[in-house]
Amino acid sequence: MKLLSATEDRSVRFHQVHMEDLGRVRVRKYCEAEDREVSAAEIGKGYEVSKDTLVAVTDEELEQMPLPTAKAIEIVAFVPAASIDPVRLSGDSYLVQYDGPVAAKPYALIARALARNTKVAVAKLAWHGRERLVLLRVRDGALVAHALKWDDEVRAPSELAPKETKVTDSEIDEALQLVDSMTTDDISGYQDEYRKALEAVFEAKAEGRQPPKPTEEAEEPGGKVVDLMAALQESVRKAQASRGEDAGEAEVHEMPMAKKKTAGKTAGKAPAKKTAKKSAAAKKPARRQRGA
């Protein structure tokens, strides 16, 4: 088998330059023992066995290791696709190409078998100087390999979960409505807006023009306590409006009138629904001021 990259890296990359004259700043590779610059042909792999002790390893020695996965992909198990934790996906995806006519039939056999059920194959292969665990699945009749992390490479996230955080049933219901409002079967329309903005800056500077300025928007006052229920309802309203749906059903909970608070009482202790009324009332004078 052969592996071909299944994705393209469209990230914007910068060169290091001397800002005074835009001369390229390059990294030169020097040998510490001879104190001279060395060429790429003179550079190889070295492994530190112990402090101040290195052993050289050639590419030929790595290719001749007695490892079954050095020459082929070894399928070790078939598992339900839903059983693979997405955190184990390393982000590297490859198109698997069969190498020669002898490999065509087993390739087609695995691909068609996987296409008829909901399972995926877990396999091992030697890749870039190490043995990798990969997930094999079918896409448009071809096998796709997704690199997986080993068990000891995955960290447990339990320590990061919020402790003793109270969430009401009403807030959960509103969050579920937001999920329904933003559910889609197609994410192909999303684009890298940051890269497009960077390209506009580069084009302007290359033509001797000033880069485009950011759109001025009214800034929300900092340090404000956010009413979670009001924020969820606003998110539902925007999601429905973007899909051309009636946003009138977003506010499913009737908000009671806010009671007056004492000056020493913090907003954090007020019930969420009461804060929403006060927040809405506080924004109206600001809108009248912008209109004026």
Side-chain angles (χ1 to χ4, degrees):
M1 300 296 174
K2 296 180 180 178
L3 295 182
L4 306 174
S5 180
T7 59
E8 294 184 36
D9 186 1
R10 302 294 302 277
S11 302
V12 175
R13 300 186 182 279
F14 296 95
H15 294 299
Q16 289 186 326
V17 298
H18 183 200
M19 296 300 290
E20 184 174 335
D21 52 19
L22 294 183
R24 287 285 299 275
V25 176
R26 301 183 183 275
V27 178
R28 301 185 183 275
K29 297 183 179 181
Y30 274 77
C31 172
E32 293 181 352
E34 300 181 14
D35 192 23
R36 68 175 181 88
E37 187 176 352
V38 294
S39 63
E42 298 176 272
I43 300 175
K45 297 181 177 68
Y47 180 77
E48 186 176 4
V49 179
S50 59
K51 188 177 181 180
D52 300 327
T53 302
L54 292 172
V55 293
V57 181
T58 65
D59 292 336
E60 291 75 17
E61 290 172 331
L62 294 176
E63 292 177 359
Q64 295 174 5
M65 288 191 307
L67 187 66
T69 56
K71 299 294 183 179
I73 296 177
E74 179 187 0
I75 296 178
V76 295
F78 293 92
V79 298
S83 68
I84 300 295
D85 189 344
V87 76
R88 297 195 63 165
L89 297 173
S90 68
D92 298 327
S93 299
Y94 304 93
L95 299 176
V96 182
Q97 181 184 37
Y98 62 89
D99 190 9
V102 176
K105 188 168 184 177
Y107 183 100
L109 180 61
I110 292 295
R112 293 176 187 177
L114 290 177
R116 292 191 182 185
N117 57 52
T118 59
K119 292 184 175 62
V120 294
V122 176
K124 296 198 301 183
L125 58 89
W127 182 247
H128 286 179
R130 58 178 295 196
E131 190 172 51
R132 303 290 298 269
L133 194 67
V134 298
L135 177 152
L136 294 178
R137 68 180 183 89
V138 180
R139 182 186 182 195
D140 297 333
L143 290 176
V144 182
H146 302 277
L148 296 173
K149 297 288 187 182
W150 297 98
D151 289 343
D152 58 359
E153 294 178 320
V154 179
R155 296 176 177 174
S158 57
E159 297 180 358
L160 303 179
K163 302 296 189 297
E164 300 179 357
T165 301
K166 184 178 180 181
V167 179
T168 66
D169 290 339
S170 297
E171 290 167 340
I172 296 176
D173 291 340
E174 203 72 38
L176 290 174
Q177 186 177 358
L178 175 61
V179 172
D180 292 338
S181 300
M182 298 180 65
T183 297
T184 180
D185 295 327
D186 183 16
I187 60 170
S188 60
Y190 297 107
Q191 300 180 10
D192 187 348
E193 301 294 340
Y194 181 77
R195 179 168 59 87
K196 291 171 60 178
L198 275 179
E199 290 173 348
V201 171
F202 301 152
E203 182 180 354
K205 293 181 73 69
E207 296 175 355
R209 297 183 286 106
Q210 287 293 327
K213 300 293 183 181
T215 304
E216 293 185 2
E217 298 180 355
E219 296 183 359
E220 294 290 338
K224 183 179 67 175
V225 177
V226 177
D227 186 311
L228 180 58
M229 180 65 75
L232 285 170
Q233 291 178 341
E234 178 65 13
S235 297
V236 171
R237 185 191 65 77
K238 290 181 179 179
Q240 290 178 332
S242 66
R243 299 164 74 104
E245 300 175 0
D246 183 10
E249 299 179 358
E251 298 187 9
V252 297
H253 301 285
E254 184 175 345
M255 309 293 283
M257 294 296 293
K259 296 180 181 180
K260 294 183 179 179
K261 305 184 187 68
T262 60
K265 194 172 183 179
T266 61
K269 296 181 180 179
K273 295 181 180 180
K274 296 179 180 180
T275 310
K277 284 294 185 178
K278 186 172 182 180
S279 299
K283 290 182 179 179
K284 291 183 179 178
R287 287 199 292 268
R288 287 198 296 270
Q289 185 175 356
R290 287 198 296 267

